[in-house]
Amino acid sequence: MSNDNHIQKWNECLSIIRDLIPVEQFKSWFEPITSLGLEGDRLTLRVPSPYFSEHLDVRYPKILVPVLRRVYGPNVKLFYRYNQVGNESSTAVDVRSENASPVIKPGLPPANPFNIEAAPEIDSQLNPRYTFENYCGSMCNKVARAIGMTIGDDPSCKTFNPLFIIGPSGSGKTHLMHAIGIRLKEHQPAMRVLYVTARLFESQFTTASLKGKINEFINFYQSIDTLIIDDIQDLIGKDKTQNAFFHIFNHLHLNNRQIIMSSDCPTSQMKGLSERMMTRFKWGMTVKLDRPDLELRREVLLQKAQSDGLTLADDVLDYIAQNVTGSIRELEGVMVSLVAHAAILNVDITVDLARNVINNAVRMNVAATPQINFEMVTQSVSAYYNIDPDAIYSKTRKREISDARQMVMYLAKKHVKMQSVTIGTRLSRSHSTVLYAIKNIEERLPFEKQLQEDISSIEKLFNEQQK
């Protein structure tokens, strides 16, 4: 096909698409695309970045695919071409369009955090499946969802900066942060949005330190327009990484850049995080995501069923929603198991089948209950001994506080499976102190009935908190 002809056909596609979507979306996501040619049934379109192609596949397949088939014929095969590194055409790759392709493709290197000039276009690491359109809402996440949409819909709004999202695992923190990032990119595709976990941030910092490139590392992160960092509590005890993040945070905030963070616990429980860092977390807005309530659990199940092309009876939806109460991930896992059982056994999805699947998968709420964590141990020990939880973290050596602190160390090792070094970090104690405390209780336990009763009573408090 001649050069003019394939360009003419692509312009015809653009003309059709322009009439089907809002003008802002068209300008953001279709005007930047150019046609590179049609060879046989293979159409190649140039897009600015891998994220761009992923977004088109996930958000616009019901528009793009029919239009292409109408203009180019029913057998057209779509390929995207983009540069892996900035404007260097030598790094260009072709990727075939897939309606459900992942964000990070196998073999595709992650964004280079040490070379800004070579990579003005960064991979935002956003998952296109996590959007506001499929983020189910109820009273347990209404405030957080509304604030997130406000930030995403108005990139100039910095009322909630920084935004600090807290909530237990499986409550939807990660989905919400990705949805904000994707909405920001929809409004401003050129915006440098980056999602990163605190663990990856710490790993990158360690690598930069070993290579003598800490300045480059900090400069890269200071170039971000919206920084989204997940599980910020993982920086606890990482003093050097915290210091680097402190400088990055200050620079971004002073320059009116958006910062979004998440944690599974509030700042008041982040012992081991510097005071200056915790103070800055409180500058903006803190929102809490609670465990999914019945309304949200039912909505998640309904949406999952619809996405899988299933129709579930109300009694089945209600049964699952009432008996799997732990997290959204567990609900999705039960749905996957339910569909697999129905397909393999060639039976309809009924309440009886759901009951069998839940019994095998989560044992009727047992696995759906929240996991015991360090904060739960601390709160239970404090409640049992009737002392202030903050006293356990203090430096006081009063006998009653010291005994309670040793109990926390022992139970954190036993139930949370924490390393002794980690326990010491959370309590601002040395590794040897933790080892001594654990050994002390283990040696006394077989001979002291009161100690046995104390531990049994505290463990019962764990169960009450899990209900």
Side-chain angles (χ1 to χ4, degrees):
M1 180 177 290
S2 68
N3 184 59
D4 291 341
N5 196 13
H6 83 78
I7 293 177
Q8 180 181 350
K9 282 185 171 294
W10 175 240
N11 287 335
E12 183 180 346
C13 291
L14 292 178
S15 179
I16 298 171
I17 295 170
R18 185 183 290 108
D19 295 331
L20 298 176
I21 63 175
V23 62
E24 295 82 6
Q25 294 183 27
F26 178 81
K27 289 182 178 180
S28 297
W29 296 105
F30 288 93
E31 279 192 354
I33 304 173
T34 56
S35 172
L36 296 180
L38 182 70
E39 297 181 6
D41 292 328
R42 174 176 172 146
L43 172 66
T44 303
L45 300 178
R46 175 174 286 282
V47 294
S49 68
Y51 170 80
F52 211 95
S53 65
E54 299 291 353
H55 187 87
L56 292 172
D57 273 347
V58 172
R59 299 298 299 277
Y60 297 106
K62 294 182 179 179
I63 293 177
L64 186 56
V65 173
V67 170
L68 292 179
R69 289 175 178 171
R70 173 179 169 181
V71 175
Y72 291 96
N75 298 320
V76 65
K77 299 178 179 63
L78 176 60
F79 285 77
Y80 298 110
R81 179 174 297 176
Y82 53 78
N83 297 340
Q84 294 189 65
V85 178
N87 296 319
E88 296 183 13
S89 57
S90 61
T91 66
V93 295
D94 288 352
V95 177
R96 182 168 180 173
S97 170
E98 296 177 349
N99 287 341
S101 54
V103 175
I104 306 173
K105 301 179 179 64
L108 182 63
N112 180 358
F114 309 130
N115 195 344
I116 306 170
E117 294 183 358
E121 283 282 350
I122 65 170
D123 184 349
S124 293
Q125 305 293 310
L126 294 169
N127 190 328
R129 293 183 184 85
Y130 291 159
T131 66
F132 279 116
E133 285 73 13
N134 59 21
Y135 186 77
C136 299
S138 76
M139 287 303 297
C140 68
N141 63 11
K142 184 176 182 179
V143 174
R145 187 175 188 269
I147 291 175
M149 293 185 72
T150 299
I151 294 172
D153 288 331
D154 185 4
S156 64
C157 174
K158 295 298 185 289
T159 304
F160 311 108
N161 189 28
L163 177 64
F164 191 55
I165 306 169
I166 60 174
S169 177
S171 58
K173 302 188 298 296
T174 299
H175 188 150
L176 178 59
M177 290 192 294
H178 280 275
I180 296 171
I182 288 172
R183 184 64 63 86
L184 287 169
K185 292 288 286 185
E186 287 176 351
H187 287 288
Q188 294 187 11
M191 178 180 284
R192 292 171 67 85
V193 178
L194 180 64
Y195 167 87
V196 64
T197 65
R199 287 186 181 275
L200 179 57
F201 181 90
E202 199 274 332
S203 176
Q204 290 177 345
F205 174 78
T206 301
T207 300
S209 181
L210 292 173
K211 293 182 177 180
K213 294 187 175 182
I214 291 179
N215 288 338
E216 289 90 335
F217 172 85
I218 292 177
N219 288 339
F220 168 78
Y221 274 96
Q222 288 180 343
S223 75
I224 302 300
D225 297 315
T226 297
L227 177 60
I228 305 171
I229 183 162
D230 209 350
D231 293 322
I232 195 71
Q233 75 277 356
D234 287 338
L235 295 187
I236 289 175
K238 308 294 194 314
D239 293 341
K240 292 182 178 179
T241 308
Q242 284 183 40
N243 188 54
F245 183 65
F246 173 80
H247 293 295
I248 292 167
F249 184 103
N250 277 350
H251 178 88
L252 295 180
H253 197 270
L254 286 171
N255 286 275
N256 214 28
R257 314 281 181 81
Q258 182 68 51
I259 306 165
I260 302 171
M261 299 167 289
S262 80
S263 171
D264 60 6
C265 60
T267 54
S268 60
Q269 297 177 11
M270 289 187 181
K271 307 300 179 181
L273 201 65
S274 68
E275 184 64 30
R276 64 178 185 175
M277 208 64 262
M278 289 193 290
T279 301
R280 279 157 177 77
F281 290 173
K282 299 174 184 177
W283 280 356
M285 180 71 184
T286 298
V287 293
K288 183 180 179 182
L289 290 175
D290 294 317
R291 292 195 178 277
D293 55 22
L294 181 61
E295 178 189 357
L296 181 58
R297 297 197 298 271
R298 201 177 189 282
E299 186 66 25
V300 169
L301 290 169
L302 186 61
Q303 184 182 94
K304 179 65 176 174
Q306 291 174 344
S307 68
D308 291 338
L310 300 174
T311 301
L312 294 184
D314 287 342
D315 59 344
V316 176
L317 285 172
D318 289 337
Y319 183 82
I320 300 173
Q322 290 167 2
N323 288 281
V324 183
T325 61
S327 72
I328 294 173
R329 293 191 188 99
E330 287 166 346
L331 287 169
E332 293 175 339
V334 166
M335 282 296 296
V336 171
S337 298
L338 196 60
V339 171
H341 278 75
I344 293 172
L345 299 175
N346 194 26
V347 296
D348 294 331
I349 297 177
T350 62
V351 171
D352 287 338
L353 180 62
R355 182 181 295 111
N356 290 333
V357 168
I358 293 174
N359 279 331
N360 292 329
V362 297
R363 292 187 293 174
M364 294 298 289
N365 285 334
V366 173
T369 55
Q371 296 290 321
I372 297 174
N373 55 37
F374 187 80
E375 286 68 37
M376 191 181 296
V377 170
T378 305
Q379 291 168 8
S380 298
V381 171
S382 302
Y384 180 74
Y385 288 112
N386 195 27
I387 61 175
D388 186 346
D390 288 339
I392 292 178
Y393 296 96
S394 69
K395 295 182 179 181
T396 180
R397 295 185 179 182
K398 291 182 179 180
R399 180 61 182 270
E400 65 271 22
I401 304 299
S402 179
D403 288 348
R405 190 183 297 122
Q406 287 193 4
M407 184 65 75
V408 168
M409 295 175 180
Y410 170 79
L411 292 174
K413 181 71 172 180
K414 178 182 177 181
H415 290 283
V416 192
K417 310 300 181 186
M418 294 174 66
Q419 297 293 324
S420 301
V421 174
T422 306
I423 297 172
T425 299
R426 297 296 294 269
L427 295 172
S428 300
R429 294 300 189 278
S430 67
H431 180 217
S432 58
T433 299
V434 177
L435 291 176
Y436 171 81
I438 295 171
K439 184 178 180 181
N440 179 45
I441 292 181
E442 288 176 343
E443 290 178 348
R444 292 166 49 202
L445 194 56
F447 310 103
E448 296 185 23
K449 185 176 181 179
Q450 184 59 51
L451 185 61
Q452 296 171 13
E453 292 176 354
D454 289 349
I455 291 175
S456 178
S457 297
I458 293 170
E459 288 172 338
K460 287 180 181 178
L461 292 177
F462 294 165
N463 296 331
E464 291 178 5
Q465 290 192 57
Q466 289 181 293
K467 290 179 181 179

